[in-house]
Every structure is written in structure tokens, then in C-alpha cells.
Amino acid sequence: MKKLTTGLLVLVLSSSIAVANAQEKKDTIKTKEIEGVVVTALGIKREKKSLGYASEEVKAAELTGGTTNTGNVASLLSGKVAGLQVNTNNNFGGSSNLLIRGYKSLSGGSPLIVIDGSPVNNSSLTTAAPFDYGNFLSDINQEDIESINVLKGAAASALYGERGSDGVILIVTKSGRGTNDGSWGVTLNSGVTAGFIDKSTFPKYQTKYGAGYGGEDWNFPLSKDGYHYTNFQDDASFGPKFDPNLLVYQWDSYDPSSPNFGKARPWVAAKNGPIAFFETPITYVNSITIEKGNKTSNLSLSYSNMLSNGLMPNSELRKNTISAKFNHDFTDKLHASVFTTLTLQDTKGRNETGYSDNIISGFRQWWQTNVDVAALRNAYANNGNSNFSWNRTSPEDGTPQFWNNPYFQRYQNYQSDNRTRVFSYAQLKYDISKNFGVTGKLSYDDLQMVVEERLMNGSLPQAFGASGLNVSSGYARTNMKNSELNFDVFLNYKFDITEDLNLSGIAGGNVRRNLIDNVYMSTEGGLSKPGLFAISNSVRTILPPDENYSKWLTSSFYATASLGYKNFLFIDATYRRDQSSNLPKGNNSYGYPSVTGAVILSEFVKQPWLSFWKVRANYAEVGSSTGNYRLVNTFKARGEGLFDQPYFLANPDLKPQRSKETEFGMEAQFFKNRLGFDFAIYKTKTFDQIINLPVSPATGYRTFLVNAGQIDNKGVEVQLNGTPFKSDDFTWDVNINWSKNENKVIELNGNSQNYLLARYQNNVSLNARVGEAFGALVGRDFQYDANGNKLVDPKTGLYLRNDNQIIGNVTPDWVGGIRNSFRYKNISLSFLIDVKQGGDIFSPDMGYGLATGLYAETGDYRENGVVNPGVYPDGTPNTIAVSDPTGIDGYGVMPNKRFIYDASYVKLREASIGYSLPKSILANTGIRDAKISIVGRNLWIIHKNLPYADPETGTGNGLAAKGQSIGSLPTTRDIGIDVTLKF
């Protein structure tokens, strides 16, 4: 990958220099045109050349033009912005995690999302059941987006106060423009996408052995008539060797609807393995935008409809979005803007995530290679949709031992959810004079969601509901409301102090009110009447609902001042002060200053090859508050006068978390904007973090809240742009971004050396450990001698193990992307290579799958045995062959380190080819523009090190999803056709 990147960069540089002079007469670009105007904090438009901090803008064409419609705007940013990490999992309707400049907080963190200057909710819903409900940025219609500007550092985001500590993603929506003759402008867009499984992200099974765990299971039990029958209850494939001449009673021999009923059939591997369980996901997206505009008003109306099914049977997502934006000048001084968007989404059949009761975990970890998936589908359909499982308890007892029939689970135990999302703002601006203006803005973000989870009668008993008891049926429901109201009033000013010196800025205030109102309730003891999913249909008396009602208020004032001198020197200062109701009096008011500077050196260095050259630097402080009701312990009612005591001890003396950051950068453009770069280095210190630390159980609590801990981050970001070739008919553009972030946990609380972030399978955990990079994976390692050789037990031939060791870290070494765009007359072609280098991932799938004999690697274990490479403690090479196949590999005999993999990847993330019909063909048709494109996403994982899975995928949103690969859906190569017509 290094050679590829270096070679491409040399080509871009040399090509640009070679052709620049030949085309100098055609390229007359001014500095303002090179840098342009961008939207910054609070929706303020600024000339980019005046900014003293790093930001990066992605236009709509770059965001959506070269890829399929993912339904989640966050995923579209993959590989396009230096310093921004995007992790998109494969869950149906699932999350995309955004991270700017690494983890700064022990609690994780993600950037604030802002639409036209107003914050919006991008959180995720967490429920007791293992489903990924997606991050709520997916409610935003990508067709409404004009551009996205990523504010990376503290100086760029300081005006957003406590919410800007992890950076800000600014979304600017489209405004209506209409046509020159004053008529309406109409844009129709229609696309269809199909997904095809990338087989490198799903297990390759061995086909030599069937059901059993080894040992006695190498042989079949005998039936009364002398035939063999399968080890039904064993969810593994280390059993008897396949032999087509051997007749065996298998699970479907007991299925009355099967042609094999009552018969022993040849002992062979299944014709249809688990990959046959998946369906082809198809997504249809249709949208219409209507626009009209003149000198005083513009209007934009849009409607979008998405219909999608997932890889898993019985999965469907329907989403409808309606948006409207209106701008109007009542007078030359009074201006109004209104925007509203409504999203209605219904989803059925999200896939389970994690370990327990996850069908995909079964396929990856606990399966019999003799089980035919098509036969399971028939058994479900032909037996009254009952739970006819391959995993029988015995020949006489068809009760599932560990696993339901996967079709029964998908069609009877499905979840569903629907949500309604409304985001609106209204803004009124009055120009008092040429020097002053005042703006008032009110925005409202409301999300309401209903989640239903079902467990049909006859299911394998599992933990379910409020009590968590093991039951074989049940129903649970969550009603959620999350709303935010923002009110801003600010004064803007602008003065020319002298002919060469000007001053501008704003001063104002904000009031923000947040509300969360959640109610969860479930049946107890199962469903009284089978198949009736209602809380009232409970076998036992239901527990009181789990109610969470909370609200909080944040009041702020802010001010900025921007000095510009002779169009080459710019100095900015900002200050914001927040007062939070979530912190105690005396500590609940805190300020965030920033100062930035930029010098346009190209104003002094006048060379024909130099178009623009700027250096910049800044310093800023930001911070963050805590969640609500964490100052004094609260209690939950459990009915009949009983109350639950919380497990954590609240802290009435909390103070805000703080971050201090310095940044230096340089950007330049050469040869009339044919070649350029943007470079930034930064260093951040975050301290006084609000975390839950363990406490002695003798106190009656498990953890206590405290201000503690420091994390330091430092990094470098590089963006390169080049146009190696440009003519009237053909253009080739290249954009490259690369970033590296390093962090270290400096201290925790007192003598504490480790802070637990998440627990995984097999006693592996994700941690912040003093002296190490954030995100250390801790578990069992091999034992090594002084030369680094693995030590082997001379009695068993197995590796010696060492507990509680750092065995990996989730932090990547660097991330980057390379985008090439070509245009030849009416044909356009583009592709994006997305790269993550380094970082580790723990795979319980490999640990279990190797132990149960599923994977292709285990096919030869039994015949040959294995001599583990290593030495005895005395230095003698190991010679003991381990012959028991179940003791050769897997979680039971290998340390966790065996299942730590490099999480690097190189992906062909996006690709497209489009054709715009010539204007001559469209003449007299009423169509102004027409374009048809073939688009693709995740077309090729060029390189990865994690077997049988995509290293990018996780279980959901947040920190805990990043460190392990467990039960994830395979990745699909998505290919679609997109048609756009403009009238």
C-alpha cells in the first residue's frame, strides 16, 4: 500500500507540473475562488482563507455522487476527510460510528451534528435485547444536503461549548433556485441497488466431519434397529468422518414432512450450508425535489422514499422523508428562513448482535456441517411454522438443546420498530445598519420511537424481559421520546476601522432544553395465549414499568471577534460560557476560549507557480458536562413499596471535563489550483474526566463517579489535491487524505492503573490503561522466553499461558483515502480507495469456530495432529504432537492472543460510471439534464488480515462495538443503477 500511495503521488506531482504551464492561459483563478466561502460554527459564512483552524468541506457531488444510497449519511464520509474515522457495520439499518482525531475521553465520544447552524440528535437507542437501532443521523435525507463541513479541532468547535469537545459535523441543506424564467425546477431521482455477499467475509467450512465434539462423539450412537444416528445435541463438527456408504438417522429423519422421515440416509456434508440462509438485499430509492426562486425568495420541497430488505429473511425497512426550506426577504433589511423535515421509518427484523441467541454467531461458532439449511426452511414451513430444530435433545425429544430453527427465529421471534423524527428551525434576521444585524433562531428536534421484541411460544428458553428470567415466550415494548429545543439570539457586527483593518464578529446567547421520556415494560413468565404479543397477555403479574423521565437545561452566551489586516493577516478570538443544570452550583458554569491566527504568505511571495499559501495556528479550550441526575442518587420503584438502589455512587461535587488543544497548519495551491495541500499537526490534553471507577462492594455500591484521568492526543493530517490532466474534453482529478493520531492514558484516579471500558467473551476486555494507548485489549497471552519464543508445556505439548496481559489495541496507526475522478465529455468515472492501517480486533468467532471443528483449517487436524511451534522452558524445541483435534486449537486450549488479528483493511469503497445525455438530444423534451449512472459500494476488500469476516464491522454503536468481531453479518458488494432527470 505504501508503494501504491507513493507512486500515485509522484504521478500526480509530475503530471501537474508538466501540463500546468501549457494550460496557464485557461486557468485564471483568484485567491477567493481557490479558497471559497464555507459555513462555520453557528452557521456563519466565512472566507476559508481567513480561518485559523483545520476544516474540510465535502460537497454533495463528492458525498453522494459516486456511491449507492446507504440510508445513513455518516457512512458516506468514509475515506473522504483527513482525521475522521468512520466505522460502518453490516447490521440491517445499523450504526455508523464517527470519530474525529481519536478518543479524547474515557467515555468515548462522537462529534456533534449540526444542520444549518442548529444541533441535532445523533445518539443511539440502547435496549436490553441485542439489536442495533442505528444512529439517528440516518434520519437525514441525503438528497437535502448541499455540503458537509467537518470542524476537526477545538478552535473550530469551541463556539458550541460543552458539545463541541469531539468536533462538529456541519450539514448545510439545499436552497431552492428554480429556473431563469421563474418557472418551477423539478428533479427526479430513482435508484435500485442489489447486494451480493463477499465470500471472504463468511466462514469456509470443512467438509470432512459432521456432528460431534470428538472423543466418544467420533462414533455414532446406535438406534434400536441397529442404525447409527447423529449426535443431535452437539452444536459442533468434530464428529464422525463423512462416508457416503454409511447410513445415519439425522435430525430430518424425525420430521414427518420430510422425504427422509423414518429413514437413515448417507452420511455426507450438507448441500446447502449456512450461506444459503441469506437473501439478496434490494434497495429502492425514489425522490423528487421541486424548486423555485427569484431575487427575494426561494423555495425547495423534497420527498424521498426508501424500501429495503436485508440479508436475513423477514427483514424490511421503509423510510419516507418530507422536507421543505423557504427563504424570503420581506424588505432589504428583514430576512427569514424556515426549514422542516419529517422522517417516518418502519423497520422489521433487525438482526441480533453479539453472542447469545444470535443466528450468525451459531453459523460462525456452533454448527453441524451435515445440516442442510434448505431442509430447515422446509421443516419450518411444513410443520405449521413450528420450531423444528436440527439441534434436538435426543431422538425421542425434539426440544431444542441450544439452537432454534433459524427460520422459526426469524419469522416468529422478530423485533420491529417505528420512529417519527421531526427537525425544524425558523430564523429571522434584521439588518439594523450596514454595520449591525440581529438574528433570532428557534430550532426543535423531536424523535419518538416504539420498539417491540417478541419471543414465540416453543422457543428455546432465554433471558428475556424486565426480570431477565429464562422463558420460552414473551413480549417487550419500549416507548421513547427524545427532544431538544434551542433558542439563539445574536448580534453580528462588521467595521472597517481603517482602510486596511477591519473587525467583525457576533455576540449572543443560547438556551437549550433537553427531554428524555422512556418507558420499558414486558411480560413475565411467558405468553398466556400463544402468539398474542401484548403486555396484558402475561403468565405472571408484570413488573412495574421501567420509566426514565429526565430533562435538563443549558444556558450560554458567546462572542467572537475577527480582525483582518490588508487581506493577508487574520486574527480571531472566541469565547463561550455554559451553565449546565447537570452540574452542582459553584461548578456548573464554565468557559471556552479560543484564539486563531492566519497569514496569507502568497500576498508577499508573488510567483506565477504559486496560487495561494497560508500558515495558521490556534489554541483553544473546550469541555463537557455530564449526564442528568448524577449528583444525587435516585431510586427506581419496583412496586409494592419496593425501590431499587443504583449500583453507582453519585457525586455532588462534579466539575466539567476539560480539553486544551494547540494546532498548527499550512495550506497551499500551485499552478492555478492544479496542485495543492493542507497540512495540520495538533496536540490535545483532556483532564478532569467524569468516569465511573470501581469501589469496594462493602460500600454497597460497585462504582463511584469522580473527576479523574487524563488522555493526551497528538496527530498529523494531510490532504492533497491534484489535477494531473485537464483539457476541454478530459479532466483527471485526484484527492488524497491521510491522518495519524496517537494517544496515551496519562493517569486515572490516584494509584489506579486500569479503567474497564467493555467486557468481551472469554475474559477479554477493552481498557484504558495508564501508560498505554487508549483501547488496550487485555486477556491471556502466550508465555515467552528471553528470545521471544512461545513456551510449551513439556507434559502436554500445549502452550503455557499468562493472564491479564495487553494483547492488542484497537487504535489504528493511520487512516486514509484516495479518490480519482475522470471526466471525458459526457462520461464521468470515479473510484475511492479507503484504507485503515493497524489496530487490533479480537475474534471470538475464530476461537469458538476452530474449537468446534467448523472452519476449513480444522479438516486435517485429526489425521495428522499438530506439533505447536515453540520451546520448552529449558529451551528445547517442542516435539509433542497433539492428536486430539478438540485440543489442538480454539478458545479452550489457546490463549486469547491467538485470536487477536490485525484490523487493517484496504477497500474499494466506492466506484461509479455515469453518462449525461447531450443537450442536443434533450432539446424540446422539457428535460434540462439527464444522467444515468452505475454505482457501487464495498466492491472489493483488496486487503485484510481477519479471516472470514470484515474487520470494519462491529456489534453496534459506541466503544464496546469496536474491539471484537463476533456474530457479524457478511459484507455485501452493493451495485446499483441511478437515474437523475432535471426539468
Side-chain angles (χ1 to χ4, degrees):
M1 185 61 201
K2 182 178 180 182
K3 291 182 179 178
L4 173 64
T5 305
T6 304
L8 179 59
L9 179 57
V10 171
L11 177 61
V12 172
L13 292 170
S14 59
S15 300
S16 297
I17 294 173
V19 299
N21 291 331
Q23 300 173 352
E24 183 174 346
K25 294 181 179 180
K26 297 181 180 180
D27 295 333
T28 56
I29 302 175
K30 298 179 181 179
T31 297
K32 183 175 181 179
E33 294 171 336
I34 292 173
E35 284 290 276
V37 176
V38 296
V39 176
T40 63
L42 301 179
I44 303 167
K45 291 184 178 181
R46 295 281 303 275
E47 288 188 41
K48 192 173 187 296
K49 70 176 183 178
S50 68
L51 302 181
Y53 51 76
S55 70
E56 189 169 351
E57 187 179 47
V58 181
K59 295 289 188 181
E62 301 166 353
L63 184 73
T64 63
T67 184
T68 62
N69 191 319
T70 65
N72 193 330
V73 173
S75 65
L76 298 177
L77 291 168
S78 293
K80 297 177 182 176
V81 178
L84 174 65
Q85 295 180 45
V86 183
N87 279 89
T88 301
N89 61 50
N90 294 335
N91 297 325
F92 182 58
S95 306
S96 291
N97 297 305
L98 299 174
L99 181 66
I100 299 177
R101 291 185 173 178
Y103 284 111
K104 307 176 187 69
S105 171
L106 292 169
S107 57
S110 60
L112 173 68
I113 308 299
V114 175
I115 297 180
D116 293 342
S118 297
V120 297
N121 177 19
N122 188 37
S123 61
S124 298
L125 173 65
T126 301
T127 66
F131 296 104
D132 177 8
Y133 291 94
N135 56 303
F136 297 141
L137 184 55
S138 62
D139 294 329
I140 305 304
N141 180 15
Q142 68 179 43
E143 297 300 325
D144 289 339
I145 297 175
E146 182 176 286
S147 65
I148 291 180
N149 194 20
V150 181
L151 305 183
K152 303 175 185 180
S157 60
L159 269 183
Y160 285 106
E162 65 174 21
R163 312 178 82 185
S165 59
D166 294 303
V168 178
I169 306 290
L170 295 178
I171 298 175
V172 179
T173 60
K174 296 176 182 177
S175 297
R177 288 176 173 81
T179 55
N180 294 332
D181 60 2
S183 62
W184 292 91
V186 179
T187 301
L188 297 176
N189 181 269
S190 183
V192 58
T193 302
F196 306 92
I197 290 177
D198 183 338
K199 293 185 178 179
S200 72
T201 62
F202 196 68
K204 181 179 180 182
Y205 299 99
Q206 58 84 15
T207 56
K208 290 186 176 183
Y209 304 97
Y213 273 106
E216 294 181 358
D217 290 343
W218 293 356
N219 299 312
F220 294 103
L222 291 176
S223 64
K224 292 180 180 180
D225 55 6
Y227 284 103
H228 301 290
Y229 63 85
T230 313
N231 298 293
F232 306 108
Q233 71 279 7
D234 292 344
D235 50 356
S237 295
F238 261 135
K241 190 172 184 178
F242 289 128
D243 181 353
N245 298 315
L246 191 62
L247 298 179
V248 179
Y249 282 103
Q250 301 187 44
W251 70 272
D252 55 351
S253 299
Y254 303 89
D255 175 8
S257 69
S258 170
N260 299 316
F261 179 62
K263 299 177 184 178
R265 58 184 175 87
W267 183 238
V268 294
K271 178 181 178 181
N272 299 288
I275 200 167
F277 180 73
F278 300 110
E279 300 181 346
T280 300
I282 304 291
T283 299
Y284 302 92
V285 181
N286 295 283
S287 65
I288 180 172
T289 301
I290 303 174
E291 301 174 284
K292 189 173 184 179
N294 54 39
K295 292 182 179 180
T296 60
S297 302
N298 57 64
L299 172 67
S300 176
L301 303 172
S302 69
Y303 168 73
S304 178
N305 169 262
M306 170 180 277
L307 175 62
S308 179
N309 68 286
L311 274 171
M312 304 279 273
N314 196 35
S315 58
E316 185 179 68
L317 184 152
R318 296 174 179 268
K319 180 161 62 175
N320 292 276
T321 304
I322 303 172
S323 302
K325 188 174 185 179
F326 178 64
N327 299 311
H328 180 67
D329 297 335
F330 290 103
T331 67
D332 291 340
K333 293 187 175 183
L334 185 60
H335 320 282
S337 296
V338 178
F339 175 79
T340 185
T341 180
L342 167 67
T343 299
L344 304 172
Q345 178 174 309
D346 289 300
T347 309
K348 179 177 69 174
R350 294 181 188 269
N351 57 289
E352 293 173 306
T353 65
Y355 179 69
S356 296
D357 306 309
N358 179 357
I359 294 172
I360 310 303
S361 289
F363 291 165
R364 292 183 178 274
Q365 302 169 8
W366 313 98
W367 186 251
Q368 295 178 357
T369 55
N370 51 282
V371 173
D372 192 292
V373 167
L376 282 171
R377 181 178 61 243
N378 294 334
Y380 166 73
N382 296 332
N383 287 281
N385 297 341
S386 65
N387 189 12
F388 205 101
S389 175
W390 59 272
N391 190 211
R392 299 173 66 88
T393 300
S394 69
E396 297 77 20
D397 186 358
T399 303
Q401 182 74 7
F402 301 110
W403 297 96
N404 295 317
N405 181 308
Y407 289 93
F408 173 86
Q409 187 158 332
R410 288 299 302 167
Y411 283 97
Q412 301 298 328
N413 293 350
Y414 67 94
Q415 67 75 236
S416 62
D417 58 86
N418 66 78
R419 68 179 181 233
T420 302
R421 178 77 176 271
V422 176
F423 170 71
S424 303
Y425 70 78
Q427 176 177 293
L428 198 61
K429 181 181 179 182
Y430 182 72
D431 298 324
I432 301 171
S433 67
K434 68 176 184 178
N435 300 114
F436 291 99
V438 63
T439 300
K441 185 175 186 180
L442 181 68
S443 67
Y444 182 66
D445 184 12
D446 181 81
L447 185 148
Q448 298 189 43
M449 191 167 179
V450 177
V451 177
E452 298 176 274
E453 296 159 10
R454 301 166 180 84
L455 191 63
M456 175 60 82
N457 300 77
S459 298
L460 179 74
Q462 65 183 62
F464 187 88
S467 65
L469 297 177
N470 277 358
V471 292
S472 58
S473 64
Y475 173 72
R477 178 186 178 107
T478 302
N479 288 65
M480 184 190 79
K481 177 180 173 64
N482 192 323
S483 67
E484 175 173 322
L485 181 69
N486 279 278
F487 180 63
D488 284 86
V489 175
F490 57 87
L491 177 76
N492 61 285
Y493 60 91
K494 185 175 182 179
F495 293 98
D496 291 329
I497 300 174
T498 68
E499 184 178 350
D500 297 327
L501 182 65
N502 57 71
L503 173 68
S504 63
I506 62 170
N510 166 268
V511 175
R512 171 167 56 96
R513 296 179 180 273
N514 290 85
L515 169 68
I516 292 177
D517 187 1
N518 295 347
V519 179
Y520 171 82
M521 58 194 313
S522 69
T523 59
E524 286 297 324
L527 300 175
S528 179
K529 180 178 177 56
L532 177 59
F533 294 105
I535 299 297
S536 58
N537 187 35
S538 178
V539 170
R540 299 179 182 175
T541 302
I542 63 172
L543 297 178
D546 186 352
E547 299 175 273
N548 176 16
Y549 182 87
S550 54
K551 57 183 179 180
W552 61 100
L553 172 70
T554 304
S555 301
S556 313
F557 74 83
Y558 45 81
T560 73
S562 302
L563 277 172
Y565 179 67
K566 285 191 174 181
N567 209 35
F568 78 86
L569 175 63
F570 301 92
I571 298 175
D572 283 19
T574 73
Y575 184 77
R576 175 165 177 147
R577 192 163 190 86
D578 290 343
Q579 185 171 344
S580 170
S581 66
N582 287 337
L583 290 172
K585 291 182 178 180
N587 286 338
N588 66 342
S589 185
Y590 37 94
Y592 312 97
S594 79
V595 59
T596 71
V599 180
I600 313 300
L601 297 178
S602 51
E603 293 293 320
F604 303 96
V605 182
K606 300 291 186 180
Q607 295 292 332
W609 49 265
L610 180 62
S611 305
F612 180 74
W613 182 20
K614 178 177 80 172
V615 295
R616 61 178 189 264
N618 63 70
Y619 170 82
E621 296 183 15
V622 293
S624 58
S625 181
T626 185
N628 44 283
Y629 309 142
R630 306 183 80 183
L631 306 179
V632 179
N633 278 44
T634 58
F635 301 86
K636 287 188 176 181
R638 287 302 181 190
E640 299 180 355
L642 300 177
F643 292 84
D644 277 352
Q645 176 175 296
Y647 292 119
F648 77 94
L649 178 61
N651 185 348
D653 299 317
L654 287 178
K655 53 186 177 181
Q657 174 179 296
R658 309 285 293 182
S659 289
K660 297 180 179 181
E661 182 177 275
T662 55
E663 176 188 308
F664 171 80
M666 180 185 296
E667 52 193 284
Q669 294 290 327
F670 308 95
F671 309 112
K672 310 299 182 184
N673 208 28
R674 297 291 301 280
L675 181 68
F677 71 84
D678 191 329
F679 169 81
I681 57 175
Y682 60 88
K683 186 173 183 180
T684 308
K685 180 175 72 172
T686 306
F687 53 96
D688 282 343
Q689 305 198 36
I690 302 173
I691 55 176
N692 261 326
L693 286 177
V695 66
S696 170
T699 62
Y701 300 95
R702 296 178 184 173
T703 60
F704 72 104
L705 275 174
V706 65
N707 285 104
Q710 178 181 328
I711 295 179
D712 287 358
N713 278 262
K714 61 180 180 180
V716 57
E717 299 162 353
V718 180
Q719 304 165 52
L720 301 173
N721 69 277
T723 305
F725 193 89
K726 184 177 182 181
S727 68
D728 290 338
D729 292 334
F730 180 74
T731 303
W732 173 20
D733 293 317
V734 181
N735 289 279
I736 301 173
N737 70 80
W738 180 90
S739 59
K740 179 181 179 65
N741 180 81
E742 296 179 354
N743 64 13
K744 181 183 287 189
V745 180
I746 304 301
E747 64 179 12
L748 293 171
N749 185 48
N751 295 323
S752 298
Q753 295 297 302
N754 193 81
Y755 179 60
L756 179 66
L757 301 172
R759 294 186 186 275
Y760 301 143
Q761 291 295 115
N762 300 322
N763 296 316
V764 174
S765 59
L766 184 67
N767 304 265
R769 183 165 286 196
V770 172
E772 302 290 337
F774 180 86
L777 293 165
V778 174
R780 284 182 173 178
D781 197 354
F782 297 93
Q783 288 189 24
Y784 306 90
D785 66 9
N787 297 318
N789 297 309
K790 297 173 183 175
L791 293 179
V792 176
D793 187 337
K795 296 179 181 179
T796 64
L798 301 178
Y799 287 115
L800 296 173
R801 299 180 287 184
N802 199 2
D803 291 340
N804 196 32
Q805 302 297 304
I806 294 179
I807 56 177
N809 195 288
V810 300
T811 302
D813 298 329
W814 56 268
V815 296
I818 304 173
R819 185 183 187 93
N820 284 269
S821 302
F822 305 88
R823 181 191 60 81
Y824 176 70
K825 294 185 177 179
N826 293 331
I827 299 174
S828 59
L829 170 69
S830 68
F831 64 91
L832 171 67
I833 304 294
D834 189 8
V835 185
K836 184 180 82 167
Q837 176 62 43
D840 298 302
I841 191 167
F842 170 57
S843 176
D845 288 340
M846 292 300 296
Y848 290 125
L850 291 171
T852 57
L854 288 185
Y855 296 148
E857 296 93 317
T858 67
D860 297 327
Y861 281 179
R862 185 176 301 179
E863 287 88 348
N864 306 321
V866 172
V867 176
N868 287 318
V871 300
Y872 303 135
D874 63 3
T876 305
N878 176 40
T879 59
I880 300 175
V882 181
S883 57
D884 181 352
T886 61
I888 290 175
D889 207 347
Y891 74 103
V893 295
M894 286 289 185
N896 307 126
K897 178 70 173 181
R898 162 71 176 86
F899 313 110
I900 296 292
Y901 296 90
D902 175 19
S904 301
Y905 60 76
V906 181
K907 294 186 176 184
L908 177 56
R909 178 70 73 181
E910 299 177 2
S912 71
I913 182 169
Y915 177 70
S916 298
L917 272 66
K919 300 293 185 182
S920 58
I921 296 179
L922 300 176
N924 302 319
T925 65
I927 301 175
R928 293 187 294 113
D929 294 292
K931 183 177 181 180
I932 183 170
S933 303
I934 298 175
V935 294
R937 187 172 184 82
N938 296 326
L939 294 176
W940 180 22
I941 301 180
I942 302 169
H943 168 76
K944 70 182 180 75
N945 298 302
L946 176 65
Y948 309 132
D950 187 337
E952 185 181 11
T953 61
T955 55
N957 203 2
L959 264 177
K962 293 184 67 67
Q964 68 172 340
S965 176
I966 182 168
S968 60
L969 287 168
T971 296
T972 58
R973 296 184 173 102
D974 300 325
I975 301 174
I977 297 177
D978 187 84
V979 177
T980 301
L981 302 175
K982 294 184 178 181
F983 299 88

